[in-house]
């Protein structure tokens, strides 16, 4: 399956400022770069896994916040 980011927009490339500036001039779309998956199933698997990682982080954050409030 490969590596995935724990971000919801992992399908899109994360260009630098210079690449963004150059894309304004690139009328033919030659500089556009997307992260891709070999199949729709792989894309779905990566998206679901990324969603669960983010959900886990949200739960961990909520538990930490609850514990801090409980101590006060």
């Amino acid at each position: 399956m490969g590596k995935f980011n724990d971000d919801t927009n992992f399908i899109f490339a994360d260009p630098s400022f210079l690449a963004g500036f150059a894309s304004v001039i690139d009328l033919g779309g030659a500089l556009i770069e997307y992260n891709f998956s070999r199949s729709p199933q792989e894309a779905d698997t990566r998206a679901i896994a990324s969603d669960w990682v983010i959900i886990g982080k949200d739960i961990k954050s909520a538990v930490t916040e609850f514990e801090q409030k409980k101590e006060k």
Side-chain angles (χ1 to χ4, degrees), residues 1-2 15 29 36 39 43 45 50-51 56-59 71:
M1 178 171 69
F36 65 94
S39 68
T45 301
S50 177
D51 289 347
K57 286 183 177 185
D58 286 346
I59 291 172
E71 289 176 1

Side-chain angles (χ1 to χ4, degrees), residues 13 19-34:
F21 184 74
S23 70
V24 172
I25 300 168
D26 179 32
L27 299 177
L31 296 177
I32 296 174
E33 179 181 315
Y34 296 98

Side-chain angles (χ1 to χ4, degrees), residues 1-5 10-11 35-51:
M1 178 171 69
K3 187 176 176 184
F4 66 91
N5 296 331
F10 68 90
I11 291 176
N35 297 328
F36 65 94
S37 301
R38 290 180 288 262
S39 68
Q41 292 80 13
E42 180 183 13
D44 287 346
T45 301
R46 291 175 66 192
I48 291 170
S50 177
D51 289 347

